[in-house]
Amino acid sequence: MARKIIIDTDPGQDDAVAILLALASPDEIEVLGLTAVAGNVPLDLTQKNARIICELAGRHDIKVFAGCDRPLQRKLVTAEYVHGATGLNGPKLPDPRMPLQDEHGVDFIIRTLRGEAAGSVTLCPLGPLTNIARAFQQAPDVIGKVAEIVLMGGGYFEVGNVTPAAEFNIYVDPHAADIVFKSGVPIVVMSLDVTHKALVTKPRNDAFRALGSQVGVAVAEMTDFFERFDRQKYASPGAPLHDPCVIAHLIRPDLFTGRHINVEIETQSPLTLGMTVADWWGVTGRPANATFMGSIDDTGYFDLLIERLARL
Ligand code: BDR
Ligand code: CA
């Protein structure tokens, strides 16, 4: 039976590929809805981008909701320098025709979790954790109903990408991340330790383009765009394709390895704000609250992406 998920997202080219991977995998995944959050770019763009991507996949029927337009306590920090002014720079894609839903994204998350059987819905956050934390604050009764949270965020060996200590999604809203990591819900973390091993090298980019479809070419153009920034920054053979790791884990968990450990979020120090303090070596005695992924079969990951995107 397909797993029911809500994708909480701030597209973002890598978010876009994650959404496409989910929509291309109906045997394993049933997308109940997309909730947009402010992150890579402001909310008016992330909600629009989410609809653009659904239409690219030919899925005008997917419900897209706008959630929170700013972090719980801090000012919004965005990443146009990585993703471009629209967040989806690269391909030329038409403005969406499908409507944005009237309901607030947080209300949708709460209503859905209340309406579905306990333990039947997985949350897949691909951006700052503001919407999820707000839902848990507003309706603590839904916390126990979540099957699992599989999220992209954090890093231990790779530490940070937006500051020396913090990964972008956690840094943008560390207070929300703190609430989520303390919620007691089983969490799988796709950290930078994983995603920095999932590089879109030239042959992989060529393989997306060689699909020849609208989706394949758009994905190649999207990954081409943020390659420029990341390649320069990391001097690596390609940019990390972060967010699809979350969806890939739902389909092929065997591609990833990690440890069930304690992970705490730094919310105080100006120097290390948003750091995921991951007890990888088990030195604190603090209880495990997350499965922190550290490595990936990157060949298997890109094979899966190509195989699935070819279906769209
Ligand atoms: C994360 O930040 C965003 O820029 C990407 O979409 C990804 O979710 C990587 O740090
Ligand atoms: Ca993202």
Side-chain angles (χ1 to χ4, degrees):
M1 207 175 69
R3 194 158 156 173
K4 294 180 179 181
I5 71 167
I6 295 173
I7 302 179
D8 186 66
T9 178
D10 64 336
Q13 293 89 347
D14 61 322
D15 300 71
V17 182
I19 294 165
L20 292 169
L21 178 60
L23 295 179
S25 307
D27 289 347
E28 295 91 354
I29 294 170
E30 181 189 349
V31 179
L32 300 178
L34 301 189
T35 51
V37 68
N40 287 323
V41 285
L43 182 68
D44 55 338
L45 288 170
T46 58
Q47 58 86 357
K48 180 179 169 194
N49 291 344
R51 289 181 291 139
I52 289 174
I53 297 306
C54 290
E55 291 194 1
L56 176 64
R59 293 297 303 276
H60 300 65
D61 58 304
I62 299 288
K63 295 197 170 11
V64 177
F65 303 81
C68 298
D69 65 358
R70 71 195 70 168
L72 296 185
Q73 297 186 27
R74 301 185 67 228
K75 252 186 79 187
L76 178 64
V77 175
T78 53
E80 286 87 355
Y81 58 96
V82 182
H83 299 274
T86 70
L88 266 192
N89 283 41
K92 280 208 172 21
L93 295 169
D95 278 351
R97 280 171 297 141
M98 60 190 275
L100 179 67
Q101 300 297 305
D102 290 335
E103 191 178 13
H104 192 283
V106 170
D107 295 334
F108 167 73
I109 293 171
I110 294 170
R111 177 171 62 81
T112 304
L113 287 170
R114 283 186 177 151
E116 297 282 344
S120 66
V121 178
T122 296
L123 303 180
C124 298
L126 310 176
L129 290 158
T130 320
N131 287 340
I132 312 297
R134 269 260 184 270
F136 288 1
Q137 280 181 325
Q138 277 178 34
D141 59 291
V142 303
I143 297 174
K145 300 198 77 177
V146 181
E148 193 178 25
I149 297 174
V150 185
L151 65 88
M152 192 280 137
Y156 178 67
F157 294 98
E158 292 286 320
V159 204
N161 59 359
V162 63
T163 75
E167 179 280 330
F168 179 81
N169 290 340
I170 307 294
Y171 177 76
V172 172
D173 199 341
H175 304 98
D178 189 44
I179 289 169
V180 169
F181 276 80
K182 288 191 171 129
S183 67
V185 175
I187 301 177
V188 176
V189 184
M190 288 297 161
S191 72
L192 294 178
D193 301 343
V194 169
T195 66
H196 281 186
K197 297 180 183 101
L199 303 178
V200 187
T201 57
K202 171 97 175 46
R204 287 167 177 168
N205 185 266
D206 289 345
F208 288 137
R209 200 177 303 272
L211 288 174
S213 59
Q214 215 199 340
V215 166
V217 173
V219 167
E221 290 175 350
M222 286 192 269
T223 51
D224 242 356
F225 182 85
F226 72 79
E227 290 280 292
R228 273 178 257 166
F229 170 80
D230 274 347
R231 245 194 242 172
Q232 217 180 0
K233 177 176 173 191
Y234 299 112
S236 64
L241 194 56
H242 305 280
D243 292 342
C245 289
V246 165
I247 305 299
H249 184 266
L250 305 181
I251 304 169
R252 289 278 312 277
D254 58 299
L255 294 175
F256 303 91
T257 52
R259 293 186 183 184
H260 190 53
I261 58 171
N262 177 268
V263 181
E264 307 279 335
I265 310 297
E266 175 57 62
T267 58
Q268 306 287 329
S269 158
L271 197 58
T272 57
L273 188 70
M275 185 174 190
T276 45
V277 181
D279 189 7
W280 187 260
W281 303 113
V283 291
T284 66
R286 294 195 284 255
N289 60 342
T291 302
F292 198 88
M293 292 302 179
S295 58
I296 178 173
D297 168 358
D298 59 323
T299 303
Y301 173 62
F302 282 95
D303 286 350
L304 175 70
L305 277 165
I306 294 291
E307 182 230 313
R308 294 301 163 107
L309 295 181
R311 298 179 180 181
L312 293 177

Coordinates of all heavy atoms in Angstrom, one line a residue, residues 161-243:
N161 N 26.3 24.8 6.0 CA 26.5 25.3 4.6 C 26.2 26.8 4.6 O 26.7 27.5 3.7 CB 25.8 24.5 3.5 CG 24.3 24.5 3.8 OD1 23.8 25.0 4.8 ND2 23.6 23.8 2.9
V162 N 25.3 27.3 5.5 CA 25.0 28.7 5.5 C 25.8 29.5 6.5 O 26.0 30.7 6.3 CB 23.4 28.9 5.7 CG1 22.9 28.4 7.0 CG2 23.0 30.3 5.5
T163 N 26.2 28.8 7.6 CA 27.2 29.4 8.5 C 28.2 28.2 8.7 O 27.9 27.1 8.3 CB 26.6 29.8 9.9 OG1 26.4 28.6 10.6 CG2 25.4 30.6 9.7
P164 N 29.3 28.5 9.3 CA 30.3 27.4 9.5 C 29.7 26.3 10.4 O 30.1 25.1 10.3 CB 31.4 28.1 10.3 CG 31.4 29.5 9.8 CD 29.9 29.8 9.7
A165 N 28.6 26.6 11.1 CA 28.0 25.6 12.0 C 26.7 25.1 11.7 O 26.2 24.1 12.2 CB 27.9 26.2 13.4
A166 N 26.0 25.7 10.8 CA 24.6 25.4 10.5 C 24.2 25.2 9.1 O 24.7 25.9 8.2 CB 23.7 26.5 11.1
E167 N 23.3 24.2 8.9 CA 22.7 23.9 7.6 C 21.5 24.9 7.4 O 20.8 25.2 8.4 CB 22.3 22.5 7.6 CG 21.6 22.0 6.3 CD 20.2 22.4 6.2 OE1 19.5 22.4 7.2 OE2 19.7 22.6 5.1
F168 N 21.2 25.2 6.2 CA 20.2 26.3 5.9 C 18.8 26.1 6.5 O 18.3 26.9 7.2 CB 20.1 26.4 4.4 CG 19.1 27.5 3.9 CD1 19.4 28.8 3.9 CD2 17.8 27.1 3.6 CE1 18.5 29.8 3.6 CE2 16.9 28.1 3.2 CZ 17.2 29.4 3.2
N169 N 18.2 24.9 6.3 CA 16.9 24.7 6.8 C 16.7 24.8 8.3 O 15.7 25.4 8.8 CB 16.4 23.3 6.3 CG 16.1 23.2 4.9 OD1 16.0 24.2 4.2 ND2 16.1 22.0 4.4
I170 N 17.7 24.3 9.0 CA 17.7 24.4 10.4 C 18.0 25.8 10.9 O 17.4 26.4 11.8 CB 18.6 23.4 11.1 CG1 18.4 22.0 10.5 CG2 18.5 23.4 12.6 CD1 17.1 21.3 10.9
Y171 N 18.9 26.4 10.2 CA 19.4 27.8 10.6 C 18.2 28.8 10.4 O 18.1 29.7 11.3 CB 20.6 28.2 9.7 CG 21.0 29.6 9.9 CD1 21.8 29.9 11.0 CD2 20.7 30.6 9.0 CE1 22.2 31.2 11.3 CE2 21.2 31.9 9.2 CZ 21.9 32.2 10.3 OH 22.3 33.5 10.5
V172 N 17.5 28.7 9.4 CA 16.4 29.7 9.1 C 15.4 29.7 10.3 O 14.9 30.7 10.7 CB 15.7 29.4 7.8 CG1 14.5 30.3 7.6 CG2 16.7 29.6 6.6
D173 N 15.0 28.5 10.8 CA 14.1 28.5 11.9 C 14.5 27.5 13.0 O 13.9 26.4 13.1 CB 12.7 28.2 11.4 CG 11.7 28.6 12.5 OD1 12.1 28.8 13.6 OD2 10.5 28.8 12.1
P174 N 15.6 27.8 13.7 CA 16.1 26.9 14.7 C 15.1 26.6 15.8 O 15.1 25.5 16.4 CB 17.3 27.6 15.3 CG 17.2 29.0 14.9 CD 16.4 29.0 13.7
H175 N 14.2 27.6 16.1 CA 13.2 27.4 17.2 C 12.2 26.3 16.8 O 11.7 25.5 17.6 CB 12.6 28.7 17.6 CG 13.6 29.7 18.0 ND1 14.1 30.7 17.1 CD2 14.3 29.9 19.2 CE1 15.1 31.4 17.7 NE2 15.2 30.9 19.0
A176 N 11.8 26.4 15.5 CA 10.9 25.4 15.0 C 11.6 24.0 15.0 O 10.9 23.0 15.4 CB 10.5 25.8 13.6
A177 N 12.8 23.9 14.6 CA 13.5 22.7 14.5 C 13.6 22.1 15.9 O 13.4 20.9 16.1 CB 14.9 22.9 14.0
D178 N 13.9 22.9 16.9 CA 13.9 22.5 18.3 C 12.6 21.8 18.8 O 12.6 20.8 19.4 CB 14.3 23.7 19.2 CG 14.6 23.3 20.6 OD1 15.3 22.4 20.8 OD2 14.1 24.0 21.5
I179 N 11.5 22.5 18.4 CA 10.2 21.9 18.8 C 10.0 20.5 18.1 O 9.6 19.5 18.7 CB 9.1 22.9 18.3 CG1 9.1 24.1 19.2 CG2 7.7 22.2 18.3 CD1 8.2 25.2 18.7
V180 N 10.4 20.4 16.8 CA 10.2 19.2 16.1 C 11.1 18.1 16.7 O 10.7 16.9 16.9 CB 10.4 19.4 14.6 CG1 10.5 18.1 13.8 CG2 9.4 20.3 14.0
F181 N 12.4 18.4 16.9 CA 13.3 17.4 17.4 C 13.0 16.9 18.8 O 13.4 15.8 19.3 CB 14.7 17.8 17.3 CG 15.3 17.6 15.9 CD1 15.0 18.5 14.9 CD2 16.1 16.5 15.7 CE1 15.6 18.3 13.6 CE2 16.7 16.3 14.4 CZ 16.4 17.2 13.4
K182 N 12.2 17.8 19.6 CA 11.8 17.4 20.9 C 10.4 16.8 21.0 O 9.9 16.5 22.0 CB 11.8 18.6 21.8 CG 13.3 19.1 22.2 CD 13.3 20.1 23.2 CE 14.7 20.4 23.7 NZ 15.0 21.8 23.7
S183 N 9.8 16.6 19.8 CA 8.4 16.2 19.8 C 8.1 14.8 20.2 O 7.0 14.4 20.5 CB 7.8 16.5 18.4 OG 8.4 15.6 17.4
G184 N 9.1 13.9 20.0 CA 8.9 12.5 20.3 C 8.5 11.7 19.1 O 8.4 10.5 19.1
V185 N 8.2 12.4 18.0 CA 7.9 11.7 16.7 C 9.2 11.0 16.2 O 10.2 11.7 16.2 CB 7.3 12.7 15.7 CG1 7.1 12.0 14.3 CG2 6.1 13.3 16.2
P186 N 9.1 9.8 15.7 CA 10.3 9.2 15.0 C 10.8 10.1 13.8 O 9.9 10.5 13.0 CB 9.8 7.9 14.5 CG 8.6 7.6 15.3 CD 8.0 8.9 15.6
I187 N 12.1 10.4 13.8 CA 12.6 11.4 12.8 C 13.7 10.7 12.1 O 14.6 10.1 12.7 CB 13.1 12.7 13.5 CG1 12.0 13.4 14.3 CG2 13.7 13.6 12.4 CD1 12.5 14.6 15.0
V188 N 13.7 10.9 10.8 CA 14.9 10.5 9.9 C 15.5 11.8 9.4 O 14.7 12.6 8.8 CB 14.5 9.5 8.8 CG1 15.7 9.2 7.9 CG2 13.9 8.2 9.4
V189 N 16.7 11.9 9.6 CA 17.4 13.2 9.1 C 18.3 12.9 7.9 O 19.3 12.2 8.0 CB 18.3 13.8 10.3 CG1 18.9 15.1 9.9 CG2 17.4 13.9 11.6
M190 N 18.0 13.6 6.8 CA 18.9 13.5 5.7 C 19.8 14.7 5.8 O 19.4 15.9 5.4 CB 18.1 13.6 4.4 CG 17.3 12.3 4.1 SD 18.5 11.0 3.8 CE 17.4 9.6 4.1
S191 N 20.9 14.5 6.4 CA 21.8 15.6 6.7 C 22.8 15.9 5.5 O 22.8 15.2 4.5 CB 22.7 15.2 7.9 OG 23.7 14.3 7.5
L192 N 23.5 17.0 5.7 CA 24.5 17.4 4.7 C 25.6 16.2 4.5 O 26.2 16.1 3.5 CB 25.3 18.6 5.0 CG 24.4 19.9 5.1 CD1 25.3 21.1 5.5 CD2 23.8 20.2 3.7
D193 N 25.7 15.4 5.6 CA 26.7 14.3 5.5 C 26.3 13.3 4.4 O 27.1 12.7 3.7 CB 26.7 13.6 6.8 CG 27.2 14.5 8.0 OD1 27.7 15.5 7.7 OD2 26.9 14.1 9.1
V194 N 25.0 13.2 4.2 CA 24.4 12.4 3.1 C 24.4 13.2 1.8 O 25.0 12.8 0.8 CB 23.0 12.0 3.4 CG1 22.3 11.4 2.2 CG2 22.9 11.0 4.6
T195 N 23.8 14.4 1.8 CA 23.5 15.1 0.6 C 24.8 15.6 -0.1 O 24.8 15.7 -1.3 CB 22.5 16.2 0.8 OG1 23.1 17.3 1.6 CG2 21.3 15.7 1.4
H196 N 25.9 15.8 0.7 CA 27.1 16.2 0.0 C 27.8 15.1 -0.7 O 28.9 15.2 -1.3 CB 28.0 16.9 1.1 CG 27.7 18.3 1.3 ND1 28.4 19.2 2.1 CD2 26.6 19.1 0.9 CE1 27.8 20.4 2.1 NE2 26.7 20.3 1.4
K197 N 27.2 13.9 -0.5 CA 27.7 12.7 -1.3 C 26.8 12.4 -2.5 O 27.1 11.5 -3.3 CB 27.8 11.5 -0.4 CG 28.8 11.6 0.8 CD 28.8 10.4 1.6 CE 29.7 10.6 2.8 NZ 29.0 10.9 4.1
A198 N 25.8 13.2 -2.7 CA 24.8 13.0 -3.7 C 25.0 14.2 -4.8 O 24.2 15.1 -4.8 CB 23.4 13.0 -3.2
L199 N 26.1 14.1 -5.5 CA 26.5 15.2 -6.4 C 26.0 15.0 -7.8 O 26.1 13.9 -8.4 CB 28.0 15.3 -6.4 CG 28.6 15.5 -5.0 CD1 30.2 15.6 -5.2 CD2 28.1 16.8 -4.3
V200 N 25.4 16.1 -8.3 CA 25.0 16.1 -9.8 C 26.2 16.4 -10.6 O 26.5 17.5 -11.0 CB 23.9 17.1 -10.0 CG1 23.4 16.9 -11.5 CG2 22.8 17.0 -9.1
T201 N 26.9 15.3 -10.9 CA 28.1 15.4 -11.8 C 27.6 15.7 -13.3 O 26.4 15.5 -13.6 CB 28.9 14.1 -11.8 OG1 28.0 13.1 -12.2 CG2 29.4 13.8 -10.4
K202 N 28.5 16.0 -14.1 CA 28.1 16.3 -15.5 C 27.4 15.1 -16.2 O 26.4 15.2 -16.8 CB 29.4 16.7 -16.3 CG 29.3 16.8 -17.8 CD 29.0 18.3 -18.2 CE 29.0 18.5 -19.7 NZ 28.2 17.6 -20.5
P203 N 28.0 13.8 -16.0 CA 27.2 12.7 -16.6 C 25.8 12.5 -16.1 O 24.9 12.1 -16.8 CB 28.1 11.5 -16.3 CG 29.5 12.1 -15.9 CD 29.3 13.5 -15.5
R204 N 25.6 12.9 -14.8 CA 24.3 12.7 -14.2 C 23.4 13.8 -14.7 O 22.2 13.6 -15.0 CB 24.4 12.8 -12.7 CG 25.0 11.5 -12.1 CD 25.4 11.6 -10.7 NE 25.9 10.3 -10.2 CZ 26.5 10.2 -9.0 NH1 26.7 11.2 -8.2 NH2 26.9 9.0 -8.6
N205 N 23.9 15.0 -14.9 CA 23.1 16.1 -15.5 C 22.7 15.7 -16.9 O 21.6 15.9 -17.3 CB 23.9 17.4 -15.4 CG 23.1 18.6 -15.9 OD1 23.1 19.0 -17.0 ND2 22.3 19.1 -15.0
D206 N 23.7 15.2 -17.6 CA 23.4 14.8 -19.0 C 22.3 13.7 -19.1 O 21.5 13.7 -20.0 CB 24.7 14.2 -19.7 CG 25.8 15.3 -19.9 OD1 25.4 16.5 -19.9 OD2 26.9 14.9 -20.2
A207 N 22.4 12.8 -18.1 CA 21.4 11.7 -18.1 C 20.0 12.3 -17.9 O 19.0 11.8 -18.5 CB 21.7 10.7 -17.0
F208 N 19.8 13.3 -17.0 CA 18.5 14.0 -16.9 C 18.1 14.5 -18.2 O 16.9 14.3 -18.7 CB 18.5 15.1 -15.9 CG 18.7 14.6 -14.4 CD1 19.5 15.3 -13.6 CD2 17.9 13.6 -13.9 CE1 19.7 14.9 -12.2 CE2 18.0 13.2 -12.6 CZ 18.9 13.8 -11.8
R209 N 19.0 15.3 -18.9 CA 18.6 15.9 -20.2 C 18.3 14.9 -21.2 O 17.4 15.0 -22.0 CB 19.8 16.8 -20.6 CG 19.5 17.8 -21.6 CD 20.7 18.7 -22.0 NE 21.3 19.3 -20.8 CZ 20.9 20.5 -20.3 NH1 20.0 21.2 -20.9 NH2 21.5 21.0 -19.3
A210 N 19.0 13.8 -21.2 CA 18.9 12.7 -22.2 C 17.5 12.0 -22.1 O 17.1 11.3 -23.0 CB 20.0 11.7 -22.1
L211 N 16.8 12.2 -21.0 CA 15.4 11.7 -20.9 C 14.6 12.3 -22.0 O 13.6 11.7 -22.5 CB 14.8 12.0 -19.5 CG 15.4 11.2 -18.3 CD1 14.7 11.8 -17.0 CD2 15.1 9.7 -18.5
G212 N 15.0 13.5 -22.4 CA 14.3 14.1 -23.6 C 12.9 14.6 -23.4 O 12.3 15.3 -24.2
S213 N 12.4 14.3 -22.2 CA 11.0 14.8 -21.9 C 11.1 16.2 -21.3 O 12.1 16.7 -21.0 CB 10.4 13.9 -20.8 OG 11.3 13.9 -19.7
Q214 N 9.9 16.8 -21.2 CA 9.8 18.2 -20.6 C 10.4 18.1 -19.2 O 11.2 19.0 -18.8 CB 8.4 18.6 -20.5 CG 8.2 20.1 -20.8 CD 6.9 20.6 -20.3 OE1 5.9 19.9 -20.1 NE2 6.8 21.9 -20.1
V215 N 10.1 17.1 -18.4 CA 10.5 17.0 -17.0 C 12.1 16.8 -17.0 O 12.8 17.4 -16.3 CB 9.8 15.8 -16.3 CG1 10.5 15.4 -15.0 CG2 8.4 16.1 -16.1
G216 N 12.6 15.9 -17.9 CA 14.0 15.6 -17.9 C 14.8 16.8 -18.2 O 15.8 17.1 -17.5
V217 N 14.4 17.6 -19.2 CA 15.1 18.8 -19.6 C 15.0 19.8 -18.5 O 16.0 20.5 -18.2 CB 14.6 19.3 -21.0 CG1 15.2 20.6 -21.3 CG2 14.8 18.3 -22.1
A218 N 13.8 20.0 -17.9 CA 13.7 21.0 -16.9 C 14.6 20.7 -15.7 O 15.2 21.6 -15.1 CB 12.2 21.1 -16.4
V219 N 14.6 19.4 -15.3 CA 15.5 19.0 -14.2 C 16.9 19.3 -14.5 O 17.7 19.8 -13.7 CB 15.2 17.5 -13.8 CG1 16.3 17.0 -12.9 CG2 13.9 17.3 -13.2
A220 N 17.3 19.0 -15.7 CA 18.7 19.3 -16.1 C 19.0 20.8 -16.1 O 20.1 21.2 -15.6 CB 19.0 18.7 -17.5
E221 N 18.1 21.6 -16.5 CA 18.3 23.0 -16.5 C 18.3 23.5 -15.0 O 19.0 24.5 -14.7 CB 17.2 23.7 -17.3 CG 17.4 23.4 -18.8 CD 16.3 24.0 -19.7 OE1 15.3 24.5 -19.2 OE2 16.5 23.9 -20.9
M222 N 17.4 23.0 -14.2 CA 17.4 23.4 -12.8 C 18.7 23.0 -12.1 O 19.3 23.8 -11.4 CB 16.3 22.7 -12.0 CG 14.9 23.3 -12.4 SD 13.6 22.8 -11.2 CE 13.0 21.3 -12.0
T223 N 19.2 21.8 -12.3 CA 20.4 21.4 -11.6 C 21.6 22.1 -12.2 O 22.5 22.5 -11.4 CB 20.6 19.9 -11.6 OG1 20.5 19.4 -12.9 CG2 19.6 19.2 -10.7
D224 N 21.6 22.4 -13.5 CA 22.6 23.2 -14.1 C 22.7 24.6 -13.4 O 23.8 25.0 -13.1 CB 22.2 23.5 -15.5 CG 23.2 23.0 -16.5 OD1 24.2 22.4 -16.1 OD2 22.9 23.1 -17.7
F225 N 21.6 25.1 -13.1 CA 21.6 26.5 -12.5 C 22.3 26.5 -11.2 O 23.2 27.3 -10.9 CB 20.2 27.1 -12.4 CG 20.2 28.5 -11.9 CD1 20.3 29.5 -12.7 CD2 20.1 28.7 -10.5 CE1 20.4 30.8 -12.3 CE2 20.1 30.0 -10.0 CZ 20.3 31.1 -10.9
F226 N 21.9 25.7 -10.2 CA 22.5 25.8 -8.9 C 23.9 25.2 -8.8 O 24.6 25.4 -7.9 CB 21.5 25.5 -7.8 CG 21.2 24.0 -7.6 CD1 22.1 23.2 -7.0 CD2 20.0 23.5 -7.9 CE1 21.7 21.8 -6.7 CE2 19.6 22.2 -7.7 CZ 20.5 21.4 -7.2
E227 N 24.2 24.3 -9.9 CA 25.5 23.8 -10.0 C 26.6 24.9 -9.9 O 27.6 24.8 -9.3 CB 25.7 23.2 -11.4 CG 25.0 21.9 -11.6 CD 25.7 20.8 -11.0 OE1 26.8 20.4 -11.4 OE2 25.2 20.2 -10.0
R228 N 26.3 26.0 -10.7 CA 27.3 27.1 -10.8 C 27.8 27.6 -9.5 O 28.9 27.7 -9.2 CB 26.6 28.3 -11.6 CG 26.7 28.1 -13.0 CD 26.1 29.2 -13.7 NE 24.8 28.8 -14.2 CZ 23.8 29.6 -14.6 NH1 24.0 30.9 -14.5 NH2 22.7 29.2 -15.1
F229 N 26.8 27.8 -8.6 CA 27.1 28.3 -7.3 C 27.9 27.3 -6.4 O 28.9 27.5 -5.9 CB 25.8 28.8 -6.6 CG 26.0 29.1 -5.1 CD1 26.6 30.3 -4.8 CD2 25.7 28.2 -4.1 CE1 26.8 30.6 -3.4 CE2 25.9 28.5 -2.8 CZ 26.5 29.7 -2.5
D230 N 27.3 26.1 -6.4 CA 27.8 25.1 -5.5 C 29.2 24.5 -5.9 O 30.0 24.3 -5.1 CB 26.8 23.9 -5.3 CG 25.8 24.2 -4.2 OD1 26.1 25.2 -3.4 OD2 24.8 23.5 -4.1
R231 N 29.3 24.4 -7.3 CA 30.6 23.9 -7.8 C 31.7 24.8 -7.4 O 32.8 24.4 -7.0 CB 30.5 23.7 -9.3 CG 30.6 22.3 -9.7 CD 30.9 22.2 -11.1 NE 29.8 21.5 -11.7 CZ 29.6 21.4 -13.0 NH1 30.4 21.9 -13.8 NH2 28.6 20.7 -13.5
Q232 N 31.4 26.1 -7.5 CA 32.4 27.1 -7.2 C 32.8 27.1 -5.7 O 33.9 27.1 -5.3 CB 31.9 28.5 -7.6 CG 32.9 29.4 -8.1 CD 32.2 30.7 -8.4 OE1 31.0 30.9 -8.2 NE2 32.9 31.7 -8.9
K233 N 31.7 27.0 -4.9 CA 31.8 27.0 -3.5 C 32.6 25.8 -3.0 O 33.5 25.9 -2.2 CB 30.4 27.0 -2.9 CG 30.4 27.0 -1.3 CD 29.0 27.1 -0.8 CE 28.9 26.9 0.6 NZ 27.5 26.8 1.1
Y234 N 32.3 24.6 -3.4 CA 32.9 23.4 -2.9 C 34.0 22.9 -3.7 O 34.7 21.9 -3.3 CB 31.8 22.3 -2.7 CG 30.7 22.6 -1.8 CD1 29.4 22.8 -2.3 CD2 30.9 22.8 -0.4 CE1 28.3 23.2 -1.5 CE2 29.8 23.1 0.4 CZ 28.5 23.3 -0.1 OH 27.5 23.6 0.7
A235 N 34.2 23.4 -4.9 CA 35.2 22.9 -5.8 C 35.1 21.4 -6.0 O 36.0 20.6 -5.9 CB 36.6 23.2 -5.3
S236 N 33.8 21.0 -6.1 CA 33.5 19.5 -6.3 C 33.0 19.3 -7.7 O 32.7 20.2 -8.4 CB 32.4 19.1 -5.2 OG 31.2 19.8 -5.5
P237 N 32.9 18.0 -8.1 CA 32.5 17.7 -9.5 C 31.0 18.0 -9.7 O 30.5 17.8 -10.8 CB 32.8 16.3 -9.6 CG 32.9 15.7 -8.3 CD 33.3 16.8 -7.4
G238 N 30.3 18.5 -8.7 CA 28.8 18.7 -9.0 C 28.2 19.2 -7.7 O 28.8 19.1 -6.6
A239 N 27.0 19.8 -7.8 CA 26.3 20.3 -6.6 C 25.5 19.2 -5.9 O 25.0 18.3 -6.6 CB 25.4 21.4 -7.0
P240 N 25.4 19.3 -4.6 CA 24.6 18.3 -3.9 C 23.1 18.4 -4.3 O 22.5 19.5 -4.3 CB 24.8 18.6 -2.4 CG 25.7 19.8 -2.3 CD 25.9 20.3 -3.7
L241 N 22.4 17.3 -4.5 CA 21.0 17.3 -4.7 C 20.3 16.8 -3.4 O 20.0 15.6 -3.2 CB 20.7 16.3 -5.9 CG 19.3 16.4 -6.5 CD1 19.0 17.8 -7.0 CD2 19.1 15.5 -7.7
H242 N 20.1 17.8 -2.6 CA 19.7 17.5 -1.2 C 18.3 16.9 -1.0 O 18.2 15.7 -0.5 CB 19.6 18.9 -0.4 CG 20.8 19.7 -0.4 ND1 21.9 19.5 0.4 CD2 21.1 20.8 -1.1 CE1 22.8 20.4 0.1 NE2 22.4 21.2 -0.8
D243 N 17.2 17.6 -1.4 CA 15.9 17.2 -0.9 C 15.3 15.9 -1.5 O 14.6 15.3 -0.7 CB 14.9 18.4 -1.2 CG 15.2 19.6 -0.4 OD1 15.9 19.5 0.6 OD2 14.7 20.7 -0.7

